[in-house]
Amino acid sequence: MASPHRRRIDPRVRARRLAAVGAILVLAIALLAFPKVTSSQTAALTTRVTTLPGQTPMNAPFSAGTTVGGYPCGPGLRQVPWSAYAPACEPRWSGNNGGATAPGVTATTITLSYREAASAILQELYALVPPSVVGTNAGAIQTMQSYINIFNKDFELYGRHVVLAPFNGQGNFINEDTGTGAPQAEADAITAATSLHAFADMSLIDSSDTYTQDLQAQKVIAFGLHAQYQQWYQQNAPWQYTPGPNCTKSADAIGALFGKQLKGLPAQFAGGALKTEPRKLGIFYSNIVGEQQCEQQVVQSLASYGVTPVAQANLAFNLSELAGESATAVAQMKAAGATTIICVGCDPISPRFYFAAATQDNYYPEWLIDSEYSTNASATPPFIRLLPADQRAHILTIGTPPTASSLSEAVHAYDLGNTDPSATIYPAYPLVYASILQFFSALQLAGPDLTPSNFQAAMRSIPQSSPGGELGGWNGASGPYDVASSFQILRWDQGATSPADGQQGTYEVCNGGASYPFDTSPPLPAHTPLHCALPAETPPRLGTVPSTSAA
């Protein structure tokens, strides 16, 4: 069955529809009394950065006027009315932007690099996770370019536009994650900095911690999907960012889930006799750089609630060793009586080995998948469906539920920016969209004096998202290295149809769909079993920036 978001619409029909939708949105914005931001918030945005002599200052956010994209601007409105996440609107700007304010920036351009990795080991990866699920470099670039097209048009970049610069890299993330690809990663970072003159790099799945650190050494801003812990971002400021949540935030959420809400209760989603046993936790984590620290943060968060894992297993991220190590680790968990296994920083590949080993051992625990691919469940179902069917029913995660393509902000933005009628959207498009939207929001909020330090200051000024957005809660004040501010608890339902792609198997929301803030003690209910149901397909509230008192 074709995915709903892949249907192609006649451009003339699309234009008429968009015109009608735009008119309705403008009318709705004018008529509805939504919460507005406070005067102190507006002042903070306006005085955030210093303008160099000779530069023209940015216009005050929320001033009356029309944006560069042609949308109305006024108190509380966002830069584009169809987004739950866009920054505060700013009337069209003109003047002197200061020219080359930083490496990778000119008077007219901002260069964003993208590394294309290709090697024999990646072909081995694609045998496990086919391109139809994980996507291809060409598809990622085409989707990214579509988003750049519409954001270049609609976001205020002060006379500049973003130029995407893909290049063929020497390295790949698998070698780099296993510690064998350092020279190639360094060479690729030098290419991005000196040959392409990149201000930032966004290589998504083809990135790695090694590569992003080498980019930092070359003074190139790096966006990575693999989230590190909070202190790591602080130590590497202002160069490292992720759509989030970083693993410190995830650890706080996991600790509250199993230490507060589910502590002492039966493992209700386990299989066989395990479902009647009180939960006992085991932890899987990989030997990827930084993963040990993320795992320790989970252990510390659980300890704050008086919970101690019964077993912990560190597994090599190496395709030739994963099968054997998975069998050993699964046997260890079973012998320890673990009813529930937390997979910390879980990549899309390793669970296939973990689950296969558990099935072979006739062992059906609950699985908590903590992964960058779980934070937006619209990107997750194709990966989960590759896992053994008898293990999938036992999966929990934290993130946001899948969104129907007809309600998807990410799909709408793709359609607005796509210029190739024969192209189809990248399978993991929500991850691409979150990264690009975060990048452009900070570019607008940084003002004409675009520097790495002003970019970081701007990241902190990204406003609170409107309720119901498909990327979960955003708030720059909870960063500034990532903007994730809230999460939901999800459970995999094998029999339900995903609203994101129309295929069988999707995540349903638990706790009545409640969202919780990422903090050291999220307010989950105490000692309460999970009750889960498919999410209601209600459109998000768009167009306005919630006040500081909004939920």
Side-chain angles (χ1 to χ4, degrees):
M1 176 178 177
S3 299
H5 59 254
R6 296 193 180 198
R7 294 197 305 264
R8 307 308 310 164
I9 301 174
D10 185 292
R12 294 168 296 180
V13 174
R14 184 195 303 162
R16 290 195 296 270
R17 289 180 182 176
L18 292 177
V21 170
I24 292 171
L25 284 169
V26 171
L27 179 61
I29 291 168
L31 294 177
L32 295 178
F34 285 124
K36 303 296 189 285
V37 298
T38 64
S39 58
S40 61
Q41 286 177 296
T42 304
L45 289 168
T46 308
T47 60
R48 168 189 65 258
V49 294
T50 302
T51 302
L52 293 174
Q55 281 186 316
T56 306
M58 62 185 292
N59 294 320
F62 305 126
S63 298
T66 303
T67 70
V68 66
Y71 294 111
C73 185
L77 299 184
R78 298 185 186 272
Q79 185 70 11
V80 292
W82 43 262
S83 175
Y85 300 93
C89 69
E90 181 183 341
R92 179 189 293 270
W93 176 95
S94 63
N96 176 16
N97 62 19
T101 56
V105 179
T106 73
T108 58
T109 62
I110 304 163
T111 300
L112 179 67
S113 58
Y114 178 96
R115 179 179 71 160
E116 298 184 61
S119 69
I121 199 167
L122 283 179
Q123 295 308 312
E124 186 177 352
L125 164 66
Y126 290 143
L128 295 170
V129 185
S132 61
V133 171
V134 72
T136 63
N137 279 318
I141 291 168
Q142 189 276 333
T143 297
M144 188 179 295
Q145 186 62 62
S146 296
Y147 290 140
I148 289 172
N149 290 344
I150 189 60
F151 288 160
N152 273 337
K153 174 181 175 293
D154 284 347
F155 277 53
E156 183 57 75
L157 302 184
Y158 312 97
R160 303 182 178 104
H161 66 280
V162 171
V163 176
L164 183 61
F167 70 100
N168 292 318
Q170 297 181 32
N172 67 73
F173 71 94
I174 295 180
N175 286 343
E176 291 156 13
D177 284 340
T178 55
T180 62
Q184 292 81 11
E186 182 180 14
D188 289 344
I190 291 172
T191 295
T194 62
S195 298
L196 302 178
H197 305 290
F199 174 71
D201 180 275
M202 194 174 290
S203 296
L204 302 174
I205 196 171
D206 283 326
S207 190
S208 70
D209 292 333
T210 302
Y211 178 53
T212 61
Q213 290 273 263
D214 286 330
L215 288 167
Q216 175 178 327
Q218 298 298 322
K219 307 302 182 186
V220 176
I221 288 172
F223 280 79
L225 291 180
H226 183 258
Q228 288 276 7
Y229 51 99
Q230 179 77 12
Q231 188 179 14
W232 185 88
Y233 290 100
Q234 294 169 348
Q235 292 169 346
N236 291 280
W239 305 103
Q240 302 286 346
Y241 301 92
T242 179
N246 66 63
C247 71
T248 302
K249 293 179 180 179
S250 295
D252 291 338
I254 292 169
L257 174 61
F258 291 113
K260 181 179 182 182
Q261 179 168 356
L262 302 180
K263 180 180 179 180
L265 297 178
Q268 66 188 102
F269 299 119
L274 290 178
K275 70 188 308 177
T276 63
E277 296 289 328
R279 279 186 180 85
K280 296 180 181 178
L281 305 180
I283 298 179
F284 281 0
Y285 63 104
S286 78
N287 62 356
I288 296 174
V289 176
E291 204 64 67
Q292 292 89 341
Q293 182 64 39
C294 290
E295 190 265 351
Q296 283 303 302
Q297 300 219 346
V298 172
V299 172
Q300 292 166 14
S301 179
L302 290 168
S304 70
Y305 295 94
V307 175
T308 301
V310 296
Q312 302 174 49
N314 180 219
L315 296 94
F317 183 67
N318 187 313
L319 298 182
S320 65
E321 299 177 17
L322 261 176
E325 290 208 359
S326 296
T328 300
V330 163
Q332 176 189 354
M333 296 293 157
K334 186 176 181 180
T339 66
T340 306
I341 298 176
I342 301 168
C343 185
V344 173
C346 220
D347 61 85
I349 306 162
S350 299
R352 296 194 68 179
F353 295 89
Y354 305 160
F355 284 26
T359 296
Q360 182 68 28
D361 211 1
N362 196 31
Y363 176 48
Y364 299 96
E366 295 175 322
W367 297 90
L368 188 284
I369 303 295
D370 167 38
S371 169
E372 60 269 17
Y373 280 87
S374 300
T375 56
N376 185 282
S378 293
T380 307
F383 293 95
I384 300 299
R385 295 183 194 120
L386 295 174
L387 302 174
D390 57 352
Q391 297 287 343
R392 292 199 298 259
H394 311 300
I395 295 175
L396 299 167
T397 193
I398 57 173
T400 57
T403 301
S405 61
S406 60
L407 301 176
S408 170
E409 176 179 320
V411 172
H412 178 68
Y414 174 82
D415 282 339
L416 290 175
N418 180 33
T419 58
D420 182 359
S422 66
T424 56
I425 198 167
Y426 185 65
Y429 66 89
L431 302 176
V432 183
Y433 183 68
S435 300
I436 289 288
L437 178 58
Q438 183 186 17
F439 180 58
F440 269 84
S441 295
L443 290 180
Q444 173 165 323
L445 292 167
D449 184 17
L450 179 57
T451 64
S453 59
N454 282 348
F455 184 87
Q456 179 178 303
M459 193 73 72
R460 192 180 294 277
S461 296
I462 290 176
Q464 178 184 331
S465 58
S466 299
E470 68 189 278
L471 305 176
W474 272 25
N475 193 335
S478 67
Y481 318 102
D482 75 79
V483 289
S485 62
S486 66
F487 67 95
Q488 293 171 280
I489 302 166
L490 311 176
R491 176 197 175 233
W492 184 257
D493 185 336
Q494 296 198 88
T497 299
S498 171
D501 61 10
Q503 303 298 307
Q504 188 176 27
T506 191
Y507 277 113
E508 55 186 12
V509 292
C510 305
N511 288 359
S515 293
Y516 304 100
F518 282 116
D519 59 32
T520 54
S521 183
L524 275 70
H527 204 68
T528 304
L530 288 171
H531 297 282
C532 310
L534 289 174
E537 293 188 9
T538 54
R541 245 168 68 176
L542 306 179
T544 61
V545 184
S547 68
T548 54
S549 61

